[in-house]
Amino acid sequence: MRLPEIETPAFAPGSVWLVGAGPGDPGLLTLHAVKALVEADVIVHDALVDPRILALAPSSARREYAGKRGGKPSACQRDISERLVALAREGLRVLRLKGGDPFVFGRGGEEVLALAAAGVPFHVVPGLSSGIAALAAHALPATTRDTNHAVILATGHAAPGEEGADWAALARAGVPIVLYMAVANLPAIVAGLKAGGMPGATPALAVERVSTLDERLVEGTLDELAALAAGGGLNAPAVIAVGAIARFRAMLAARLKEAS
């Protein structure tokens, strides 16, 4: 694959690039991400990296799976970080490929700290975060002047021993909330949001498998999405938006109808 004539950083042997693969669609990769895929000797990738993206790398590039999925056996973060260090010390060009953006609920910060402590050179390539992409792909702005001037991004998954978000406090902020990794815990999250004063009738939607061939949009209210999750009608991975922005599709449809 030939890259466009743009200035790109050197991917040096013995270094690690932490790259955001975006939400899934290969067309949403950055050019720097494509460069890393083309030049990497080894790709350490997460579970949610779309196979179409991995297919852009040459067959000579070794693939190593380092996915972490809630409720399933997965590598611990310390082992992943140590593996990145070990591969770089072999003189390889190491691509750490993460779904979305490496620094938005991707533990990229922990990995660069480990690399820095080991003296391993690294470079970070931002990616399109799935939470923002899920909204934009369905003509849903994360903010508008008429609805909200702020939005909260929150993870619904806390690792064992970690304290999760204070959902009641987030509800009291009075701005839309975009949830990552929340399907398994959605009934408890809804209970916390309602305890903070958010009505169960608050508009909500979920986008499953953002920008992949299996993408599905589910719309309803906060209570309805919680019931779907509890009954198996809402599946991970999904991005969930709760609040005024979830009404925008109906507003847009009304304008389109008026114009027709």
Side-chain angles (χ1 to χ4, degrees):
M1 179 182 298
R2 182 179 178 183
L3 291 175
E5 296 297 326
I6 61 170
E7 184 176 346
T8 59
F11 195 172
S15 68
V16 177
W17 277 30
L18 281 82
V19 175
D25 182 351
L28 299 178
L29 290 168
T30 65
L31 292 176
H32 288 344
V34 174
K35 169 193 173 73
L37 281 161
V38 170
E39 297 185 0
D41 298 312
V42 57
I43 302 170
V44 182
H45 65 91
D46 282 348
L48 297 182
V49 174
D50 195 288
R52 295 172 296 168
I53 290 175
L54 289 172
L56 296 176
S59 59
S60 58
R62 189 165 81 240
R63 277 79 161 164
E64 293 194 7
Y65 177 78
K68 301 174 74 66
R69 296 296 302 273
K72 298 181 180 180
S74 57
C76 74
Q77 186 57 54
R78 184 175 63 182
D79 290 343
I80 295 172
S81 297
E82 290 177 353
R83 182 61 177 158
L84 296 177
V85 171
L87 290 169
R89 286 177 172 168
E90 292 178 22
L92 300 173
R93 296 178 181 87
V94 184
L95 169 54
R96 177 67 173 113
L97 192 61
K98 294 173 172 288
D101 181 272
F103 283 179
V104 180
F105 307 122
R107 298 188 179 238
E110 297 175 46
E111 292 175 359
V112 296
L113 287 174
L115 294 169
V120 173
F122 65 86
H123 177 70
V124 178
V125 177
L128 183 58
S129 182
S130 299
I132 302 302
L135 302 180
H138 291 276
L140 288 160
T143 63
T144 78
R145 292 187 298 172
D146 296 328
T147 59
N148 59 298
H149 293 84
V151 65
I152 294 172
L153 305 181
T155 175
H157 172 74
E162 294 181 357
E163 186 175 349
D166 184 339
W167 300 111
L170 294 184
R172 287 192 289 270
V175 300
I177 301 173
V178 177
L179 298 166
Y180 297 64
M181 299 175 284
V183 172
N185 298 322
L186 192 54
I189 292 170
V190 169
L193 293 174
K194 292 172 70 174
M198 183 179 289
T202 300
L205 59 84
V207 184
E208 295 181 1
R209 299 189 176 278
V210 178
S211 86
T212 70
L213 300 176
D214 299 318
E215 181 178 272
R216 182 170 79 108
L217 176 69
V218 179
E219 294 183 274
T221 65
L222 184 61
D223 278 344
E224 288 169 344
L225 289 187
L228 280 174
L234 179 61
N235 303 300
V239 169
I240 299 167
V242 182
I245 55 176
R247 290 197 299 264
F248 194 84
R249 277 171 55 84
M251 295 166 56
L252 184 60
R255 294 288 179 88
L256 290 171
K257 184 176 181 180
E258 291 172 0
S260 63

